[in-house]
Amino acid sequence: MPIEPARLDILNALTRKVLWLSSWTIHHANHIRPNVDGLKVGGHQASSASLATIMSALYFSVLRPQDRVAVKPHASPVFHAIQYLFGHQTREKLENFRGFKGAQSYPSRTKDVDDVDFSTGSVGLGVAQTLFASLVQDYVRAHGWAKQRPEGRMIALVGDAEMDEGNIFEALLEGWKHGLRNTWWVVDYNRQSLDAVVREGLWEKFESMFRNFGWDVVIVKYGSLMREAFAEPGGEALRKWIDQCPNQLYSALCFQGGAAFRKHLRDEIGDQGPISRLIDKRNDEELLALMSNLGGHDMASMLEAFEAIDHDRPVCFIAYTIKGVGLPFQGHKDNHAGLMTVAQMEKWRGAQNIRPGHEWDKFEGLPQTPAEIEAFLSKVPFNRDGRRRLSAPVIDVPERLTFSPSAQMSTQQGFGLLLNELARGDSKLAERIVTASPDVTVSTNLGAWVNRRGLFARAEKADLFRSEKIPSTFNWDASPKGQHIELGIAEMNLFILMSALGLSHAINGERLLPVATLYDPFIERGLDALNYACYQDARFMVAATPSGITLSPEGGAHQSIATPLIGMAQDGLSSFEPAFVDELAVIMRWGFQHMQREYGEGGSVYLRLTTRSIDQPQRIMSGELESGITEGAYWLRKPGPNAEVVIAYTGAVAPEAIEAVGLLGESRRDIGLLAITSADRLHAGWTAARALRRDRRGVAHLSHIEKLLAPLPRDCGLVTVIDGHPSALAWLGGVRGHRVEALGVEHFGQTGTIDDLYRHYGIDANAIIDAAESLTSGAPVRHRKLAV
Ligand SMILES: Cc1ncc(C[n+]2csc(CCOP(=O)(O)OP(=O)(O)O)c2C)c(N)n1
Ligand SMILES: [Mg+2]
């Protein structure tokens, strides 16, 4: 259906305005505001221009409030400009683009005020986020929630070079497995990356790949000016020339202008009557307008393409564009960091009929009256409901999470038992838990939970082993009510799924409590996605197990060293490494609450667990013990007043620490044993307390670790021990100035028994004793553990 001319006029005018405002934002940041030097803008101008028409078509016409968008990072000025026209972004923040508290360089859910659906920045991740957000929407609806809201489309605006990122391909495969729907990816096919012009024929690779994964592919190559010209006599020859022109040459000619196009067309097609007439009847400016009228810059073509979609299959649009279109450096291969000069901007301002001093005016220089445009904007479907961030009530967490204890257990086993107990019950909490694992469901102890709660799939699918009555420990029946999402091995996908599940309250208005399991070392494989999920404040729990060299016979490639440090350094993620299952129960309960706290208060949770089965304490879980566990540490054995040494341990090495304390007892006075459940929480508490004291808001405030260490004599030594990098605990000496011997693992592990490896890497009882001895004076320690 042809698009009504008046609507087209207004949308074209808005596109020009968006391009102007986004360019002015960048220009302002570079040339006008004071203190510009540190905030100069690179990489935005040309990249943004590329998407101005496509984004205007979407936001001002095609999108509905329920649709969610991940915007290509460098298109943030365009996004902010559109939101400014809607009234969701302020001039003050635009003037302060890239400045402190100004509009962010890359759209940020947490830092920007203008209704960003998904943060972007690390290319590829926002793209995959939309795919998983769509699966999550299906999950929510299949469970009978959010039915009153229409289904949204999850849309990514993708740079063509962004498609190089492997996580996108991983996501495509996963999407295919789960019957992906309602997802649109719009590839800004400007054939340029940051450094270069992309390979010829890339679109064909994209096309076949997307079709292979069950997507529809819509190629929007020619704009309406082009299509009209193709219909003229000689038009077919023009089309052929365009199709055959190499990307780099086309870019170069766009940069050079109409005369250069004319020369090439003449030289390469020759004088062939109709085509020569077609070219000659246009002056240089008109010829450039024609040749740069690629589909992605043509409002009518984009609207037609989007509006023709009348189904929920996933669609990839490949929209041809020119990087930096309409600007002096359009098409130039070096234009990624291209900026307009003051003189160029002046000239452009004049051409746009924008009076000096009126650069930020929303309606300045447009052919329509402000009233007409305001009337149009007030009816834009996407903006009908204003800001679209949703929320959901907090789900109650029971007073206590229970499990059936054994005398000896591992924390991984305990994790499985705790979830099994939840699965058996009918709590609201259990109803909202969604688990996921990248092909390690069984080996991370999630099996019992899955047996009870089932796999999720939009359509029922029986476990054929079960229906064939073949004995198996596991029931893998899948149904729309299932609560476990089984993923392929790609850990990137796991964390992006966590990112999507963990934002369900804000996106779908329905809270989910996602729990992921994976092997601890493979956190590193998905690390950027984990960071991304935390950056946009998604809420989830990760149980990473097994971990460290404790995973002895598996060898060095499966043994994590750096993850305790990742746990500490990752913002938005509280990490724990309990030694005992009763601690884990307390931590998980706290975690489910923490996952639901407001932005700035709550966050996600990382549990570093182990398969090592150790003796479990029989004890009453007092309130004080509980808060010690969640704050990060408690005295397993309180030091006496004259303590010479304290052993502080984390996680699986608890038996070694306990044994060392026993052996040291006769030789050293008043030894303390500090159980550290979370180096991360301890350190964060310490930092926060120092900040409070610095601001004089809490002059007397002491953190948990300061209070714990306060009674120790000044010359008491601290031995810290962890199956991970020793620096995770070495900082404890800085709290009150105690000398530290920090034991841990600094080199790749290898196969062997736990005893072999603990001895080799120096985290066994004797290593602890040696360290204690080196920190203390007095006679040599009398007892040591004997080699077996
Ligand atoms: C993971 C990651 N690596 C590198 C970058 C730096 N970077 C930003 S944009 C870009 C190239 C973008 O090319 P394309 O996606 O085609 O977008 P265009 O600039 O053409 O709009 C690169 C390498 C990044 N943001 N994220
Ligand atoms: Mg590009």
Side-chain angles (χ1 to χ4, degrees), residues 160-161 188 190 192-193:
D160 45 2
D188 173 9
N190 63 21
Q192 281 187 251
S193 62

Side-chain angles (χ1 to χ4, degrees), residues 47 50-51 54 72 158-160 186-191 319 321:
S47 253
S50 204
L51 270 173
I54 292 171
K72 181 184 82 168
V158 191
D160 45 2
V186 185
V187 179
D188 173 9
Y189 196 57
N190 63 21
R191 289 147 292 143
T321 53

Side-chain angles (χ1 to χ4, degrees), residues 546-726:
S547 56
I549 57 169
T550 307
L551 178 52
S552 39
E554 283 285 292
H558 275 59
Q559 296 165 349
S560 51
I561 299 172
T563 48
L565 298 179
I566 291 171
M568 288 183 80
Q570 180 61 57
D571 193 16
L573 187 72
S574 294
S575 67
F576 293 86
E577 186 166 356
F580 305 113
V581 179
D582 62 352
E583 296 169 354
L584 177 64
V586 169
I587 292 165
M588 283 176 69
R589 176 179 180 275
W590 178 91
F592 286 126
Q593 289 176 325
H594 189 64
M595 284 158 69
Q596 306 191 59
R597 295 194 180 109
E598 293 293 311
Y599 173 59
E601 301 285 317
S604 292
V605 178
Y606 161 33
L607 312 169
R608 189 172 189 251
L609 306 181
T610 178
T611 40
R612 185 184 192 194
S613 194
I614 62 171
D615 290 339
Q616 297 293 311
Q618 305 291 316
R619 56 184 171 183
I620 309 282
M621 187 53 71
S622 67
E624 192 191 345
L625 179 54
E626 211 165 284
S627 73
I629 290 168
T630 55
E631 287 186 58
Y634 63 93
W635 288 114
L636 198 57
R637 172 180 159 153
K638 262 203 168 114
N642 300 310
E644 287 182 283
V645 67
V646 160
I647 314 299
Y649 76 90
T650 284
V653 293
E656 280 62 32
I658 293 168
E659 191 175 10
V661 168
L663 290 163
L664 279 164
E666 273 185 44
S667 317
R668 292 294 179 274
R669 246 177 306 143
D670 288 357
I671 303 171
L673 181 58
L674 187 64
I676 298 189
T677 47
S678 172
D680 181 27
R681 296 263 306 151
L682 272 189
H683 191 277
W686 182 42
T687 310
R690 289 197 320 262
L692 273 178
R693 296 199 293 264
R694 252 196 323 272
D695 305 353
R696 305 194 167 280
R697 277 179 291 148
V699 183
H701 183 80
L702 284 184
S703 63
H704 186 56
I705 188 64
E706 286 166 314
K707 286 186 214 154
L708 286 170
L709 300 185
L712 298 184
R714 191 62 201 234
D715 57 356
C716 175
L718 270 180
V719 179
T720 65
V721 55
I722 181 172
D723 177 4
H725 198 273

Side-chain angles (χ1 to χ4, degrees), residues 27 79 239 249 340 349 368 379 506 536 546 672 772 781 783:
H27 188 74
F79 174 79
R239 180 212 290 266
L249 179 60
M340 288 170 63
R349 187 183 55 67
Q368 294 82 1
K379 293 204 201 78
Q536 58 181 341
V781 173
H783 301 295

Side-chain angles (χ1 to χ4, degrees), residues 47 72 74 121-123 159-162 165 190 192-193 323 336:
S47 253
K72 181 184 82 168
H74 280 119
S122 176
V123 295
D160 45 2
E162 187 168 9
E165 289 290 358
N190 63 21
Q192 281 187 251
S193 62
K323 192 159 169 175
H336 189 78

